[in-house]
Amino acid sequence: MELYKKLNIDEKVYKSITERLKRIPNDFELCLFSAMHSEHCGYLHSKKYLSNFYTNDNYENENAGCIKIKNYSIFFKMESHNHPCAIEPYQGSMTGIGGIIRDVLSLGAYPVCLLNSLKFGKLKDNKTKYYLSEVTRGISTYGNSVGIPVISGETIFDENFSKTPIVNVLALGIVKNDEIKFSKAKENSYIVLLGSKTGIDGLNGATFASDVLDEKKSSRNSVQIGDPYTKKRLIDATIEINKLNSTIACQDLGASGILSSTSEMCYKGQCGAELYLDKVHCQFKDISPSEIMLSETQERMAFIIDKKGFSDFKKIANNYDLDFSLIGETKKGNSYKIFHNDNLLADIPLNVLCEPYLFELNKNNIKTAPLKKENKSLKERFVEMINDENFVSKEYIYSQFDMEVQGRTAFSQKENSIGIQYIKEIPAFIGICTKTTLNLEAKSAVKNSFLTLYRKLVSYGFEPKGLTNCLNFANPEREIVQSDFLDTIDELKHLSFKFKVPVVSGNVSFYNEFKEKTIPPCATLAMVGTLENENSLIRPEIFKNNEIYFFGKTKNQTNEFRYETKLKQAIFNLHKEKLIASAKTIGRYGIIGTLLKNACFYNIGFEISAPKEIYFRKYLSGYILITENKIDNELNKYQIPYLYLGKYFGDKIKFDNLEFELKPIKEIYQNKLSSEMEK
Amino acid sequence: MQKIKAAVVKFFGTNCEKETYDALLNIGFEPYIINQNEENLNKFDLIVLPGGFSYGDYVSCGRIAKYTPIINSLKNNLKKRKIFILGICNGFQILTEAGLIEGALLENTSGKFICKDVELKFLDKTFKLPIAHHQGRYYIKNKEKLNDYEIIKYTNNPNGSYCDIAGLYDKKNYILALMPHPERNLTTPFKPKEGKIIFEFIKNTIEKEFYGTL
């Protein structure tokens, strides 16, 4: 068997390489191509479709995108770490956090918060318990130790993810506009590697993540190992180094380690490079040149440093007790040359290395269909809901995360599924939340998530400002995956243009399947909003005798931009006039679900009445308003439909002639997850 | 009176130094951030060992930090003069490792990291502060030694600590150590400001007992 086949390089990809190279690559070069032209690094099946989003900056080719507020930029990005977590959930989730932190860090941004979106199988499955406890422990160990709070997140239990858990993590960082560091190299400068010694962990991680999971092929060696203590020093040192004038560019070492970071920086800066692999600081002596190039050892950063300023770099590295090595120089031209003990191992034009063959996807009529609704009585639905592992409190998970380190967190996921931080440097508040909608066809799912996030931010007084996403799909060679994926992208583009919420960054993860068991289209969205005036923030609390209204249309997600912005303005006005105490959005459990969650959290019962069919209707296009007094007269002014629902009081839940004691429901709500996990 | 100078010690791996600095500033101290190699502590009346994961908490929480020059210097200062030491979370762990506070901090009974608000009692006051630790279960072999301390108690023990101990104050040597994070409930908008209780207690103690000005 020919080497390129063994290395899992597609026939078309290989042909494109040899044609453009005008020769057959040598074995070492082939190894480099196998990594750079893998789905994970090269986005072979998605790149064609990822341009032309609505954006507000020119950072399309950077590690993360940003929104601006005053003289600060807020960079954020979400990334998947699904494959490593399926094999080794503890290290997999640790290094997922580690990787996404480096993405914002490499732009010079100081990471201030994390968010995660986790999907597992059903809780009755022991494997789910293993994944849940190990992924949580991994995020907890790493995030807590590097001192970045996990302020928001979602966890979904669904049969479809029993073999392929989905672990998406987001990092957000802040930097002054004039201190942003880009990843464009300049010729005739040093290429420097900082951080951990290169070893063989995470070897071929990129190619491993570019294939369907397979028990035989899956290797724990392909999973990287995290070291949060070194990372903490690396973060502090990188922030200082990126402030030096002599630092030209910076890039983190993630997938395909030294190879992708150095080649991409040079390609973006339109210069060539010479790397001397014998200069790289390694964990042991007999590590091979291809292992050095492809290792995904964590806690490493690459820098392009002006030759005159190298001593300043050294001083900072030494202050933080970090290893570094001068591993090469940038040159004029387009050649990427790799030397090892004076032997030239590779000489590849950077455009061939960094521009892989891209596949076309096709739309067709095979699409994921929405899940059918079941007819159930209100009582049945209520009882089912309170026992649903997706409904109950996720305290078991989030209490293992430090939500408050750095002292910026005003509200965390404790209160609701939104995290709010006060960034005193700016000064401003940021709000951040994430949402994945399943069981709908791809377009509606994206629309639903988008509008839910938009409203969630509005319900706290935030102006929605930017969006990121992690698109998790099965094998892109499947027709149904191609259709669903293209629909997802189309809808994202449509909504971001319409609502003027830029898509600042994104990530695609294909091949989420195991033995023909594929995941459904799974677009994780996360939205960030900003707010400058403390008084504009709408607090979440609910008090006894508060009145409850529904404000908006009692149908499912509408897609009327004008209606949504009118609603938003109305909410902001009502708050400004001090007429509402808080506003809530409606999720997959309808009005009853939202009210009950808050009843459990604030320990107050409620009694409401509404048309039968809307109690559990999902994702209504409006808000629940919590008010001190009745405000019908004021609401009438807005020409937006509303319903008076009832009141928060007492210790019972009452609606439609049904009556339940709050206390036992609250017990289930608070303890179900932890008691299931301890079984 | 001049502001009291306070040093916040940033070991490698410490991650709560900035908000601790902000808290001290807010209460009216003159804070500085110094590193583990600093030996000259003469100008400081208060040394704070903040929260975090010094040296990654490798080997054991606070185990490596106790061998740093600053801890050595702290011990020398304690012998010679009045100096107030505050250890928060990892700082508490370092102080027990260094033998400056009796007892030890073990893994929580849940075996897991716990981040939540807890209610505390200290000197007739009841207030809430957040905890965020994996090893916060206080243990002491020689129980009589507890008589030397004022105790900060959990009203609802979250981690299995002996006698609901959340923190200890050695009033003879002016060493206060606690697992909860007072610096987190002080300067952030919308947060309660009850962290004040701890920092103001320290400020008043220094003013009264070091300078006799209160």
Side-chain angles (χ1 to χ4, degrees), chain A residues 144-145 147 227 229 232 236 319 396 399-410 414 422 424 429 534 539, chain B residues 10 12-16 18-19 22 53 55-56 58 112-117 130 132 184-185 188-191:
Chain A
N144 299 351
S145 186
D227 174 3
Y229 169 54
K232 174 69 180 136
D236 293 347
N319 277 349
Y396 169 84
S399 67
Q400 295 184 49
F401 305 146
D402 194 333
M403 295 175 272
E404 300 185 2
V405 60
Q406 293 193 17
R408 304 172 187 275
T409 312
K414 266 187 286 190
Y422 177 62
K424 68 166 194 280
F429 289 86
E534 196 172 313
R539 301 185 61 122
Chain B
K10 180 176 166 56
F12 282 149
T14 293
N15 61 28
C16 297
K18 284 182 192 146
E19 53 268 41
D22 288 348
F53 290 72
Y55 301 91
Y58 293 155
K112 293 186 168 60
F113 190 96
I114 305 171
C115 177
K116 67 185 226 182
D117 293 332
R184 292 185 183 182
N185 276 11
T188 317
F190 299 106
K191 281 263 161 202

Side-chain angles (χ1 to χ4, degrees), chain B residues 71-81:
Chain B
I71 297 295
N72 206 17
S73 170
L74 261 185
K75 288 180 178 169
N76 290 333
N77 271 272
L78 274 171
K79 281 179 213 153
K80 284 187 287 194
R81 67 177 184 117

